[in-house]
Amino acid sequence: MKIVVFIIAMLYMGACHQDDRTSTSEDIIQENTVEAAVVSVVATAVGDTYTFNVGISSPDTGCDQYANWWEVVAEDGTLIYRRILAHSHVNEQPFVRSGSTMNIIANQEVIVRVHMNTTGYSVNGYKGSVANGFTTFMISEDFANELANQSPQPNGCAF
């Protein structure tokens, strides 16, 4: 009986022990953040150009955390097109947004990826071509990260 009481007391003390480390709001955001992902890509011909409709799933919470753009990037890391997302999509997940027309060759392999204002680029994207279609693709964490500073850039968040 004494051993059982001792074990219960030790378990209780361990459960009540507080970590000496103080959590910051940045820690909490990092712990609760799930990365955004491209979930679909559909390309439509418009004359000699193409329009992309890109599906995004993101853990939007409002302007403090939201997917702020998707982009089409050449395999060599050249930015082909960026679609700015002017607001969060808290109650619309996943969501699809189309872009303007872009000049690419139908069989050119491209990468479609999403960027969040808090965590940067997602590794969950799509790769393919207009001619052959697009499939899910894990993007290297260091692929063309310098594009995050290239224009166009978001001009605030509406809601």
Side-chain angles (χ1 to χ4, degrees):
M1 176 73 172
K2 287 182 182 181
I3 293 174
V4 173
V5 171
F6 176 75
I7 291 172
I8 291 172
M10 293 304 291
L11 289 172
Y12 178 75
M13 287 173 54
C16 293
H17 174 73
Q18 290 187 359
D19 188 351
D20 293 333
R21 190 172 83 80
T22 303
S23 293
T24 65
S25 60
E26 183 176 332
D27 292 332
I28 294 166
I29 289 171
Q30 288 299 322
E31 290 172 8
N32 295 324
T33 300
V34 177
E35 192 173 80
V38 174
V39 296
S40 65
V41 175
V42 176
T44 306
V46 180
D48 292 338
T49 62
Y50 298 93
T51 298
F52 281 46
N53 294 301
V54 176
I56 305 292
S57 176
S58 61
D60 292 10
T61 60
C63 289
D64 60 324
Q65 177 178 291
Y66 75 107
N68 57 352
W69 71 69
W70 62 260
E71 62 190 17
V72 178
V73 182
E75 288 182 295
D76 69 0
T78 303
L79 179 63
I80 297 171
Y81 177 82
R82 179 175 291 158
R83 168 58 154 92
I84 301 297
L85 302 170
H87 60 84
S88 63
H89 295 85
V90 175
N91 297 317
E92 182 187 0
Q93 291 292 325
F95 63 96
V96 176
R97 290 297 175 270
S98 61
S100 298
T101 57
M102 59 188 90
N103 291 313
I104 61 171
I105 301 166
N107 63 357
Q108 179 182 0
E109 290 277 321
V110 296
I111 296 166
V112 182
R113 65 182 179 175
V114 62
H115 183 273
M116 286 196 65
N117 69 329
T118 53
T119 58
Y121 287 111
S122 173
V123 296
N124 300 299
Y126 270 57
K127 183 176 182 180
S129 69
V130 172
N132 298 315
F134 297 89
T135 58
T136 58
F137 179 70
M138 290 296 290
I139 304 165
S140 170
E141 287 184 15
D142 59 353
F143 175 73
N145 285 335
E146 68 281 357
L147 294 180
N149 299 318
Q150 188 171 323
S151 293
Q153 290 287 311
N155 187 15
C157 173
F159 54 89

